[in-house]
Amino acid sequence: MAWTTRRSLISRVLDGDEASWDVFYANYSRLVYAIGEKSGLSADDCEDLVQEIMQAIFNGRDRFRYDSAAGKFRTYLTGIVKHKVCDFYRKRNDRMVAADEESAPETADPTDRLDEVCSEEWRNHILNVALMELRERVAPETFDAFQMYVLQEREPREIAAALSISESAVYVYKNRCVKHLRLIIEECRSFDPEFAIGL
């Protein structure tokens, strides 16, 4: 299962296996970037955030031991991200004050929503992993019908025409995928006990 592979991937990275690092980076850099973007950072700052987070994880891997039962990787990763995002805003505010203290505008602190943003993006991350696993478990046509109907919200008639299937098959494929996805999500919960999504 892809999720089990990802779980062992984290363990291998934290144990210093450099061959696993590129796979880890590809998966989690997108999550870090999304949190930075939703927190209001610029594209350049988001890129810098990804580099700093990944460097912090790589450099701190000897001090962290993964515990799937406690869901601690989520806490570990998002804790580093929140700390770094706050650093970005603190440095930005310091520069603004140094440039012109009188004219520095008072705005709402974007870091107030960091916990909410991290939770939302972690949920999106796990859902994307579950969808990748679903793609591996069902036939391509079945997944395409599900994606078009549920994720893209296209009309069954349009989907049936595009895939050369009957409209009733669209509903059958959708129900089949939902059933698989529920099982996958339950398996995901063994990795992150806090993860839950209604289907």
Side-chain angles (χ1 to χ4, degrees):
M1 173 188 171
W3 190 256
T4 303
T5 301
R6 290 170 190 280
R7 180 166 52 192
S8 62
L9 171 68
I10 293 170
S11 297
R12 291 196 304 274
V13 167
L14 295 173
D15 285 339
D17 179 14
E18 294 187 19
S20 302
W21 181 252
D22 286 345
V23 179
F24 178 91
Y25 187 98
N27 283 295
Y28 289 96
S29 61
R30 289 192 292 269
L31 170 64
V32 172
Y33 190 100
I35 292 173
E37 190 173 43
K38 288 285 182 67
S39 299
L41 295 181
S42 67
D44 287 343
D45 283 346
C46 286
E47 293 289 352
D48 290 342
L49 179 69
V50 169
Q51 297 304 318
E52 289 191 21
I53 297 300
M54 292 300 159
Q55 184 176 6
I57 291 173
F58 190 80
N59 291 341
R61 66 191 185 282
D62 293 337
R63 298 187 297 276
F64 176 76
R65 283 296 168 263
Y66 171 61
D67 179 0
S68 62
K72 287 187 177 178
F73 184 72
R74 170 185 177 171
T75 303
Y76 175 73
L77 177 61
T78 57
I80 295 174
V81 175
K82 287 187 284 188
H83 176 75
K84 292 291 185 182
V85 168
C86 288
D87 276 352
F88 270 91
Y89 276 103
R90 189 184 69 250
K91 290 173 184 175
R92 178 187 292 178
N93 291 340
D94 289 347
R95 287 194 300 270
M96 289 175 63
V97 169
D100 188 350
E101 187 170 359
E102 293 296 324
S103 62
E106 289 198 15
T107 58
D109 186 352
T111 61
D112 287 346
R113 288 190 60 248
L114 262 177
D115 286 335
E116 180 184 340
V117 168
C118 286
S119 293
E120 178 183 342
E121 291 308 319
W122 182 264
R123 178 183 181 277
N124 290 339
H125 170 73
I126 295 182
L127 180 57
N128 286 334
V129 171
L131 288 171
M132 285 190 289
E133 176 66 21
L134 174 65
R135 186 189 289 271
E136 293 180 11
R137 294 192 186 188
V138 299
E141 184 178 78
T142 302
F143 183 84
D144 289 343
F146 170 79
Q147 181 173 245
M148 294 168 75
Y149 184 56
V150 175
L151 305 181
Q152 298 172 6
E153 299 182 342
R154 293 166 67 174
E155 292 295 325
R157 182 179 301 175
E158 178 187 359
I159 299 167
L163 299 178
S164 299
I165 59 176
S166 67
E167 286 189 49
S168 62
V170 173
Y171 296 107
V172 170
Y173 292 166
K174 174 256 187 182
N175 291 335
R176 184 178 301 165
C177 286
V178 168
K179 181 179 178 181
H180 278 288
L181 200 54
R182 284 184 176 135
L183 292 173
I184 293 166
I185 287 168
E186 283 306 308
E187 293 163 0
C188 288
R189 286 171 63 85
S190 69
F191 178 78
D192 179 5
E194 297 177 34
F195 177 68
I197 181 172
L199 287 174

